[in-house]
Amino acid sequence: KAGVTQTPRYLIKTRGQQVTLSCSPISGHRSVSWYQQTPGQGLQFLFEYFSETQRNKGNFPGRFSGRQFSNSRSEMNVSTLELGDSALYLCASSPGTGGPHEQYFGPGTRLTVT
Amino acid sequence: GQNIDQPTEMTATEGAIVQINCTYQTSGFNGLFWYQQHAGEAPTFLSYNVLDGLEEKGRFSSFLSRSKGYSYLLLKELQMKDSASYLCAVNGGGSYIPTFGRGTSLIVHP
């Protein structure tokens, strides 16, 4: 099975701009979760999508949003970028049913906001 | 809310054994995961505990005590390639989404 893929891998944006990140889960996985990872805060949960619906949400401002398509691919959008949004953004997929499962992570998108 | 604590950094010698502890407070419990993350790479799954006791998988073992809110990851016969960050993650009751600790950076030296 192909692993989780994320595009782009690296991104440099200017404060105030917006950005869209993409994630393709493992085939058959219906749950996609997004995380922000920074050296100071570790891995923080943004939101989870399951069958095109946001099922869980972390404590991030409304500038962070996402969606999931019928093929389970997911996108994450950050509007009005701030310097503090510089981070590694990871997505992870799992089956999403039948109890907790290990998360399969993609390689991440490294976002730098200048 | 959920709170997960693990040491920030540990060092050990190649060939030795190291134990990385994780304590947690969660509303409900649905399982605990350990992940390994090498610098610049994505986390990868190591182990999953849902019942009390020890789960062994090669050089790695993970232990869970639900009554104490405690887990540890035991790494034996350490190799240089084991230098990485080790993340403890807990699934609270009714949730498919784990809460991650900040990770323990393990440095293995010759």
Side-chain angles (χ1 to χ4, degrees):
Chain A
K1 271 185 181 178
V4 178
T5 58
Q6 291 186 247
T7 56
R9 293 292 311 279
Y10 302 91
L11 208 48
I12 300 175
K13 289 287 189 178
T14 304
R15 197 170 40 181
Q17 289 185 314
Q18 74 163 12
V19 67
T20 299
L21 312 181
S22 181
C23 172
S24 292
I26 289 173
S27 177
H29 284 187
R30 293 161 63 190
S31 169
V32 175
S33 298
W34 288 90
Y35 296 86
Q36 181 194 67
Q37 188 173 38
T38 58
Q41 296 298 319
L43 203 61
Q44 292 191 288
F45 172 69
L46 282 154
F47 30 65
E48 182 226 3
Y49 285 85
F50 176 79
S51 291
E52 302 179 65
T53 302
Q54 189 181 84
R55 185 164 67 172
N56 288 282
K57 188 177 187 305
N59 296 323
F60 277 80
R63 301 186 296 108
F64 292 82
S65 63
R67 60 178 175 168
Q68 187 179 35
F69 302 94
S70 58
N71 62 357
S72 292
R73 189 177 70 85
S74 177
E75 287 183 347
M76 189 192 94
N77 184 275
V78 188
S79 62
T80 320
L81 283 166
E82 300 177 0
L83 296 178
D85 296 333
S86 294
L88 179 67
Y89 289 88
L90 293 162
C91 83
S93 78
S94 67
T97 59
H101 286 274
E102 64 186 272
Q103 304 259 299
Y104 293 83
F105 286 86
T109 295
R110 173 76 61 185
L111 172 64
T112 302
V113 181
T114 62
Chain B
Q2 303 189 99
N3 190 42
I4 299 172
D5 287 313
Q6 48 181 135
T8 304
E9 187 174 294
M10 299 181 70
T11 60
T13 305
E14 193 176 16
I17 299 173
V18 71
Q19 177 175 311
I20 302 174
N21 296 324
C22 171
T23 57
Y24 63 89
Q25 297 95 41
T26 61
S27 49
F29 178 82
N30 217 7
L32 185 145
F33 296 83
W34 284 95
Y35 288 82
Q36 179 191 60
Q37 186 177 24
H38 285 101
E41 299 182 12
T44 56
F45 169 77
L46 287 177
S47 68
Y48 173 60
N49 294 70
V50 65
L51 299 176
D52 290 352
L54 189 67
E55 295 279 344
E56 297 186 80
K57 192 186 291 186
R59 294 189 300 113
F60 292 8
S61 303
S62 57
F63 171 83
L64 175 67
S65 169
R66 289 171 295 171
S67 62
K68 295 181 179 177
Y70 168 69
S71 173
Y72 67 72
L73 180 69
L74 193 71
L75 292 76
K76 304 174 188 174
E77 301 169 17
L78 280 172
Q79 303 174 10
M80 298 297 289
K81 68 177 182 179
D82 297 329
S83 293
S85 181
Y86 291 86
L87 306 171
C88 173
V90 178
N91 273 73
S95 173
Y96 289 106
I97 302 304
T99 298
F100 282 82
R102 294 192 179 188
T104 299
S105 178
L106 174 66
I107 300 168
V108 180
H109 55 82

